[in-house]
Amino acid sequence: RFRFGSFNHARKLTQATIDLFCQVMADNPEAELVLKSISFCEAAEQQRIRQRFEKSGLRSERLILLNWVENGLNHLQRYSEVDVALDPIPYGGATTTAEALWMGVPVVALAGKGMVGRLAASLLIHGNQANWVGRSLDEYIDIARSLAKEGPREAKKRLGLRRSVESSALADGLRLSRELEKHYWKLRQSISNY
């Protein structure tokens, strides 16, 4: 089965996020939703999340909760169980977005408000994947539907996405260093002027 997923911490599963994820799932009735959070090591937390999704309309058999795994490599390998990542709202992912892209998993994000609402969108834009950034909830759902129509993510597509991100501004460490140096220099000059 095609799988959407989100490896963001469960505290980012706001009611708005759950409602949005459930709308995506209703729009893609054959898909499953995979969630992973460090807090899922507790049975009570898993039950709480399951109940919240069921209350919002997602049948339990379509929801897969992954436990925390030791070792970063083991964590990254869990992305092989997901075809498309869904970014939460209003607190988007940063590390999880970068991880998903690096592991060849497209990320659907909303260009929200403020820094926390635009983190994933910024990573996608600078990673040459601006077409996965929705400007509205409807657009977010449309992007998810379009990616689901492509079917399960094959190894060749995953590697192609990684290569695309590797050659983008997002992965250009030298560019980042130079930009930081410029900002530090400006700050240093402003302090010297006092």
Side-chain angles (χ1 to χ4, degrees):
R1 280 186 159 190
F2 183 89
R3 288 181 167 179
F4 289 106
S6 178
F7 287 6
N8 292 276
H9 196 288
R11 68 177 159 246
K12 291 188 177 184
L13 296 174
T14 62
Q15 192 57 51
T17 295
I18 291 172
D19 290 343
L20 178 58
F21 286 7
C22 286
Q23 287 176 41
V24 168
M25 297 303 289
D27 202 49
N28 298 278
E30 299 302 315
E32 295 175 326
L33 178 62
V34 179
L35 302 177
K36 181 178 179 295
S37 173
I38 191 169
S39 64
F40 293 164
C41 63
E42 299 174 4
E45 175 67 353
Q46 287 191 27
Q47 184 62 29
R48 184 182 76 83
I49 294 300
R50 283 192 182 285
Q51 288 174 347
R52 290 183 69 201
F53 272 90
E54 285 176 12
K55 188 175 180 181
S56 293
L58 185 64
R59 293 188 332 269
S60 182
E61 61 269 14
R62 294 181 66 200
L63 180 62
I64 299 163
L65 302 182
L66 301 178
N67 287 326
W68 178 80
V69 291
E70 188 140 349
N71 183 313
L73 183 57
N74 291 333
H75 165 71
L76 291 175
Q77 287 175 338
R78 300 305 295 261
Y79 280 97
S80 67
E81 300 181 43
V82 175
D83 299 298
V84 170
L86 300 175
D87 194 51
I89 58 170
Y91 312 106
T95 303
T96 51
T97 301
E99 288 174 347
L101 291 173
W102 186 249
M103 297 309 291
V105 177
V107 180
V108 181
L110 183 68
K113 295 180 181 176
M115 186 195 80
V116 296
R118 293 178 100 60
L119 282 171
S122 178
L123 290 172
L124 288 168
I125 289 166
H126 289 91
N128 297 334
Q129 310 305 323
N131 53 321
W132 297 332
V133 178
R135 306 284 180 224
S136 67
L137 295 177
D138 287 338
E139 209 172 293
Y140 182 109
I141 294 165
D142 289 344
I143 294 166
R145 181 187 319 112
S146 176
L147 287 166
K149 283 182 181 177
E150 294 178 16
R153 199 101 178 132
E154 297 171 356
K156 186 177 179 180
K157 282 187 174 183
R158 288 177 189 262
L159 189 55
L161 175 55
R162 177 183 281 189
R163 287 187 177 140
S164 176
V165 170
E166 246 178 337
S167 65
S168 72
L170 179 62
D172 186 348
L174 183 58
R175 179 197 63 83
L176 175 63
S177 295
R178 287 183 178 150
E179 291 297 319
L180 282 172
E181 285 173 356
K182 286 180 194 174
H183 289 290
Y184 291 150
W185 182 248
K186 284 181 185 176
L187 285 171
R188 177 67 181 103
Q189 286 180 318
S190 69
I191 292 170
S192 297
N193 292 335
Y194 283 107

